[in-house]
Amino acid sequence: SIEPYWRVFAAHHRTDVYELLEAHRIANLDEASAAAAAAAAPKSAGYEDDPERHPALCVNSAEPFNAEPPSELVADAFLTPRELFFVRNHLPVPRVDSARDWTLELDVGGSSHRVSLDELKTRFAKATVAVTLQCAGNRRSEMSSVKEVRGLSWSSAAIGTATWGGARLADVLEAHGVDRAKRHVRFVGRDADVSGEHYGASIPLSTALDPRKDVLLAYEMNGEPLPPDHGFPLRVVVPGHVGARHVKFLERVAVHDDESDSFWQRRDYRGFPPNVDYATPDLWDHAGPAIQELPVQSAIAEPLDGRPLALDDDDDLVRVRGYAWAGGGRNIVRVDLSLDDGQTWLQADLDPDAAAQEYNRAWAWTPWEATLQVPPDLDALRLVCKAVDSSYNTQPEHVAGIWNMRGLLNNAYHRVHVPLIRTRDHDADLPAPLPSLEGPTATLPSPASAVEVAAHPNTSRTSSSSGLCES
């Protein structure tokens, strides 16, 4: 049976793929046989030990598990609670009973070494860095509105910020006599598919050795051991780089003349021009280099797209908030906001401590907000935001010009359409309020102060009773 292999990847569960397969159908199981086979089938191969997840996460794929928080929770605090941090798994989460026996294989060019987790903690100084991770497919769902793309349908919450603690990769490599003539450093995780292929990626060796790049062999997330979905017991954290390079369950680091030969380095996570799709002959000839640093990005977390907003009788004020971030450590210097689809603009207020991160070492996002006076003649907000980074890069105006068949790197203006209901004109039929913020809370530090974050219970994209995870 191909079933165990078929379930490993979610990207091929699409209408066009099933249409192609339909031509090869030779028979159907009768209902009784199909029911018996389903009842006898074990959990998908490799997923037996997957951890429990927070019910608030909006699930894009169950196997492998991929999920993001509801967008209105994504920027509630400077640090994202671990249980609400977006999850990007390419393969089953490997079972690790204890970190005590975990060892990292280290090939520094000319010699190989075994380094235990305990040695990383005791021999090398611990660094703690606040770093934003973003999936290359963040906001992919907007690209699908232009033309179909392939990949998980991420909304704008495939991004999160945490403090990561661990040893600096540069210190570990230097201590073991790294060959500086090599050009790349390869990472291999323990997670693997049923054929035995492990997840892998690489970054330039110059990035790994630069002390200002803060590349970590991380064993802590928000002051605690890494959770299973985020790489327990060890992962690499590459600040300012696409999430695909932050390899989890790290068991091998090797310097090399060439970049990783992993599928996720050589084939996936590369840029394509907008005129190329899967029908293009020799399409791989059009692939750009492997994605490393990410472009400037911003998104509106609240109010929500399509959800009617009731204005107060007295002031007609609306609070808008979101996040902005740029790869490569580039600081956010401005966020422009429009109520009328870009006809007029004003500037949002940036979180002062986040905006004051060290120049070209701004690894964490910048939350922003604005309180806007709504003109009396508007029946809907056509909100638009765009960020400007410290190199004065800004976001492209439209998705169409940056569309690509993989749906990667969408950093176009973020647009939110919000119908307005003025309470002085409508005493009834107001939109239902959001579910109350019940359940567990976590008090986390923000750049300015402690922020209490509450999680919506029992919501996911696969269970839309509350509407929080509708895309």
Side-chain angles (χ1 to χ4, degrees), residues 333-349:
V333 299
R334 197 176 79 230
V335 172
D336 298 326
L337 191 62
S338 174
L339 280 170
D340 51 18
D341 201 29
Q343 296 181 56
T344 59
W345 296 91
L346 51 81
Q347 281 65 59
D349 296 322

Side-chain angles (χ1 to χ4, degrees), residues 254-325:
V255 298
H256 205 276
D257 293 325
D258 300 310
E259 67 179 355
S260 171
D261 54 11
S262 160
F263 166 82
W264 294 277
Q265 186 82 21
R266 296 295 181 105
R267 288 285 189 174
D268 208 353
Y269 298 113
R270 290 177 177 265
F272 284 87
N275 58 303
V276 173
D277 60 25
Y278 286 97
T280 302
D282 301 318
L283 65 90
W284 288 105
D285 293 343
H286 302 276
I291 300 167
Q292 295 285 354
E293 295 180 358
L294 288 173
V296 62
Q297 175 72 282
S298 70
I300 297 165
E302 204 170 22
L304 297 178
D305 185 45
R307 180 171 292 171
L309 179 67
L311 293 180
D312 188 89
D313 287 340
D314 300 322
D315 51 27
D316 282 358
L317 295 178
V318 60
R319 177 176 178 248
V320 184
R321 63 183 184 85
Y323 64 81
W325 181 74

Side-chain angles (χ1 to χ4, degrees), residues 366-382:
T366 297
W368 57 264
E369 67 174 63
T371 301
L372 307 178
Q373 180 75 48
V374 180
D377 57 337
L378 282 187
D379 61 358
L381 301 178
R382 292 165 177 82

Side-chain angles (χ1 to χ4, degrees), residues 115-133:
V115 183
S116 69
L117 191 62
D118 184 63
E119 182 179 353
L120 284 178
K121 292 180 178 181
T122 57
R123 181 180 174 187
F124 299 97
K126 177 184 169 183
T128 301
V129 186
V131 178
T132 294
L133 269 62

Side-chain angles (χ1 to χ4, degrees), residues 151-234:
L152 300 171
S153 187
W154 295 107
S155 182
S156 59
I159 186 171
T161 299
T163 56
W164 305 91
R168 295 185 186 277
L169 177 57
D171 292 348
V172 177
L173 291 175
E174 293 281 15
H176 290 88
V178 64
D179 182 354
R180 287 178 166 268
K182 302 296 185 182
R183 297 181 57 204
H184 301 270
V185 56
R186 296 177 168 188
F187 308 115
V188 179
R190 180 169 290 185
D191 46 335
D193 64 19
V194 290
S195 72
E197 181 178 3
H198 290 250
Y199 185 84
S202 63
I203 61 173
L205 181 59
S206 58
T207 297
L209 294 179
D210 186 342
R212 287 184 54 82
K213 298 295 187 183
D214 295 316
V215 181
L216 299 180
L217 299 177
Y219 43 79
E220 288 183 359
M221 179 183 184
N222 287 345
E224 299 180 50
L226 297 172
D229 269 327
H230 299 290
F232 178 82
L234 188 68

Side-chain angles (χ1 to χ4, degrees), residues 14 140 143-144 147-151 403-407:
R14 302 190 325 274
R140 177 181 281 133
M143 277 199 174
S144 298
K147 184 180 177 181
E148 184 180 6
V149 298
R150 295 189 181 181
W403 181 92
N404 59 89
M405 63 184 188
R406 281 287 287 113

Side-chain angles (χ1 to χ4, degrees), residues 21-38:
L21 290 173
E22 188 62 33
H24 302 281
R25 183 190 295 270
I26 58 173
N28 295 323
L29 290 176
D30 62 72
E31 290 186 9
S33 297

Side-chain angles (χ1 to χ4, degrees), residues 58-78:
C58 307
V59 180
N60 281 317
S61 165
E63 296 178 351
F65 188 82
N66 291 279
E68 60 190 312
S71 61
E72 62 266 48
L73 296 184
V74 72
D76 263 3
F78 178 68

